[in-house]
């Protein structure tokens, strides 16, 4: 599979890439953290591509995609007859990644027994195929990622602390898009160019109103949401420029600026909805926590959510 182009304009991301350049030279494990859609997989690719292992394989494993038994044989391989459907010997991803890098995505989702096996690979680079007692040793650099609060998982006993410390030798936190708005115009232009090729449509770019709307939106789904939004606007757009309406970004503060309304009550309502939504996002849509932060009653908050029609875009 090919690699992605990583757009980096904001000082915060440019700085992350400088860190990656240094980290890439080592063989240390890196745990990439950050909300869903911030680009964790792209940063993992960059660590591999900027490392001495760049010409060897980069093997991706989505640990959340398979049940425990299948994930184990996916990672370590199996021998013929190890289980009913094991009709041939099979190499695991760790063997395929020998000499290169393995990227364990959604690491927060693996079960505790599998965490124990993984810990051994990390410590000794040694494992056995399912159904075999022959040890295999590989030379693999391990990268992992999760959008879960892994420290909370450790505290709850759902993630082994020794594995966490081993993986977390070099933590790399990718901030959400709303904390690096300088990336938005560049990313939007990049995605528009791609969508124009796919749809064979042609736009001159984004109108000022569209750009303002994108810059003031909170992007709870981060870069993935921006990508989807631009793709959709490219399909919908009928004019020379992508306009704010084509983006369907509800709840952006700029929406009342565009309508030209100077009614104070209406403006306060829009602001209130936007502000509450932001605090909800910051608190993972936990209403009890959000009410505490806003210093209002929990029941009053849920009434406001209904009245102002505030929705969690991820639901
Ligand atoms: N800096 C960037 N430049 C270009 N494209 C990006 C960038 N960051 C993210 N993307 C794009 O956004 C989408 C989401 O990125 P990615 O899959 O790496 O996110 P993630 O952090 O792994 O999310 P999740 O936790 O949901 O798996 C991808 O299509 C990716 O190509
Ligand atoms: Mg991912």
């Amino acid at each position: 599979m090919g690699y992605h182009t990583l757009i980096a304009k904001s000082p915060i991301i440019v700085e992350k890439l400088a860190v990656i350049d240094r980290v890439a030279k080592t063989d240390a494990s890196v745990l990439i953290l950050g909300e869903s859609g911030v680009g964790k997989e792209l940063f993992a690719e960059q660590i591999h591509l900027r490392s001495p292992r760049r010409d060897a394989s980069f093997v991706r494993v989505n640990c959340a995609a398979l049940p425990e038994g299948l994930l184990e044989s996916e990672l370590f391989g199996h021998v013929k007859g190890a289980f009913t459907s094991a009709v041939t010997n099979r190499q695991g991803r760790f063997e395929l990644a020998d000499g290169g890098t393995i990227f364990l995505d959604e690491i927060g989702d693996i079960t505790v027994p599998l965490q124990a096996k993984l810990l051994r690979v990390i410590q000794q680079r040694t494992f056995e195929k399912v159904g075999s007692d022959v040890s295999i040793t590989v030379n693999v650099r391990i990268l992992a990622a999760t959008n879960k609060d892994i420290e909370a998982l450790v505290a709850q006993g759902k993630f082994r602390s020794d594995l966490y410390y081993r993986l977390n030798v070099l933590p790399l936190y990718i901030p959400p898009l709303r904390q690096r708005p300088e990336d938005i115009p560049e990313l939007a232009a990049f995605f528009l160019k791609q969508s124009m090729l796919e749809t064979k449509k042609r736009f001159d770019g984004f109108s000022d109103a569209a750009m303002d709307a994108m810059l003031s939106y909170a992007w709870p789904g981060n870069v993935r949401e921006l990508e989807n939004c631009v793709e959709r606007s490219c399909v919908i757009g009928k004019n020379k420029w992508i306009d704010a309406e084509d983006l369907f970004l509800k709840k952006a503060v700029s929406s009342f600026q565009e309508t030209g309304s100077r009614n104070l009550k209406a403006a306060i309502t829009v602001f209130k909805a936007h502000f509450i939504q932001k605090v909800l996002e910051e608190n993972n849509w936990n209403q009890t926590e959000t009410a505490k932060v806003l210093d209002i009653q929990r029941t009053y908050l849920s009434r406001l959510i209904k009245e102002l029609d505030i929705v969690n875009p991820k639901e």
Side-chain angles (χ1 to χ4, degrees), residues 158-178:
K158 290 182 186 148
F159 202 89
R160 291 180 64 124
S161 55
D162 45 8
L163 178 59
Y164 171 59
Y165 293 126
R166 281 284 174 166
L167 287 172
N168 203 30
V169 175
L170 295 167
L172 182 70
Y173 173 70
I174 310 302
L177 186 57
R178 62 186 166 278

Side-chain angles (χ1 to χ4, degrees), residues 188-189 191-193 195-196 199 201-214 226 228-249 258:
F191 294 137
L192 182 59
K193 213 166 129 193
S195 301
M196 289 196 306
T199 57
K201 285 174 80 172
R202 166 88 225 147
F203 297 93
D204 285 351
F206 297 90
S207 71
D208 289 347
M211 192 50 78
D212 284 349
M214 288 193 289
L226 175 61
N228 293 338
C229 171
V230 171
E231 268 174 25
R232 196 176 51 218
S233 69
C234 183
V235 173
I236 292 168
K238 291 194 183 64
N239 303 322
K240 213 161 163 269
W241 303 84
I242 299 286
D243 211 350
E245 290 83 61
D246 305 329
L247 298 168
F248 285 94
L249 293 177
E258 281 150 28

Side-chain angles (χ1 to χ4, degrees), residues 69-96:
L70 284 179
L71 180 59
E72 182 177 358
S73 90
E74 185 76 16
L75 289 170
F76 307 122
H78 60 243
V79 292
K80 186 177 168 183
F83 43 90
T84 329
S85 57
V87 287
T88 53
N89 290 339
R90 182 166 187 253
Q91 275 196 324
R93 299 296 185 102
F94 270 100
E95 253 184 297
L96 292 171

Side-chain angles (χ1 to χ4, degrees), residues 41-303:
E41 186 161 350
L42 272 64
F43 286 89
E45 288 177 2
Q46 288 303 313
I47 296 173
H48 174 70
L49 291 172
R50 293 164 190 237
S51 81
R53 296 171 182 264
R54 71 182 67 87
D55 295 323
S57 41
F58 178 75
V59 175
R60 303 160 212 255
V61 186
N62 183 343
C63 299
L66 294 171
E68 182 179 349
L70 284 179
L71 180 59
E72 182 177 358
S73 90
E74 185 76 16
L75 289 170
F76 307 122
H78 60 243
V79 292
K80 186 177 168 183
F83 43 90
T84 329
S85 57
V87 287
T88 53
N89 290 339
R90 182 166 187 253
Q91 275 196 324
R93 299 296 185 102
F94 270 100
E95 253 184 297
L96 292 171
D98 199 7
T101 306
I102 194 164
F103 174 50
L104 304 173
D105 203 2
E106 318 288 357
I107 191 84
D109 291 46
I110 65 167
T111 58
V112 173
L114 215 45
Q115 288 172 23
K117 298 206 166 126
L118 206 53
L119 180 66
R120 183 164 159 247
V121 188
I122 292 178
Q123 285 172 329
Q124 303 166 4
R125 298 292 191 266
T126 296
F127 58 90
E128 290 87 34
K129 288 185 177 184
V130 177
S132 157
D133 49 19
V134 181
S135 294
I136 299 173
T137 303
V138 286
N139 169 6
V140 174
R141 203 249 174 106
I142 297 168
L143 306 177
T146 181
N147 54 30
K148 298 231 160 107
D149 181 349
I150 199 148
E151 285 192 11
L153 294 179
V154 172
Q156 292 160 14
K158 290 182 186 148
F159 202 89
R160 291 180 64 124
S161 55
D162 45 8
L163 178 59
Y164 171 59
Y165 293 126
R166 281 284 174 166
L167 287 172
N168 203 30
V169 175
L170 295 167
L172 182 70
Y173 173 70
I174 310 302
L177 186 57
R178 62 186 166 278
Q179 285 171 12
R180 44 179 168 112
E182 303 92 335
D183 286 331
I184 293 175
E186 202 105 344
L187 282 165
F190 174 71
F191 294 137
L192 182 59
K193 213 166 129 193
Q194 282 188 332
S195 301
M196 289 196 306
L197 285 175
E198 273 161 34
T199 57
K200 302 198 169 57
K201 285 174 80 172
R202 166 88 225 147
F203 297 93
D204 285 351
F206 297 90
S207 71
D208 289 347
M211 192 50 78
D212 284 349
M214 288 193 289
L215 287 169
S216 57
Y217 183 65
W219 300 110
N222 292 295
V223 184
R224 182 178 294 114
E225 187 184 1
L226 175 61
E227 183 173 7
N228 293 338
C229 171
V230 171
E231 268 174 25
R232 196 176 51 218
S233 69
C234 183
V235 173
I236 292 168
K238 291 194 183 64
N239 303 322
K240 213 161 163 269
W241 303 84
I242 299 286
D243 211 350
E245 290 83 61
D246 305 329
L247 298 168
F248 285 94
L249 293 177
K250 285 189 208 127
K251 307 266 163 23
V253 177
S254 59
S255 60
F256 71 86
Q257 291 163 354
E258 281 150 28
T259 62
S261 164
R262 289 294 175 264
N263 179 301
L264 181 63
K265 218 166 142 192
I268 289 171
T269 305
V270 173
F271 172 80
K272 209 151 94 182
H274 192 63
F275 187 75
I276 293 172
Q277 176 155 19
K278 214 172 150 83
V279 181
L280 278 163
E281 274 155 19
E282 285 165 3
N283 291 281
N284 276 323
W285 293 82
N286 180 321
Q287 293 193 17
T288 311
E289 285 303 312
T290 305
K292 256 190 237 154
V293 174
L294 293 168
D295 195 18
I296 56 174
Q297 294 285 328
R298 158 94 171 64
T299 45
Y300 179 49
L301 173 64
S302 65
R303 205 171 76 219

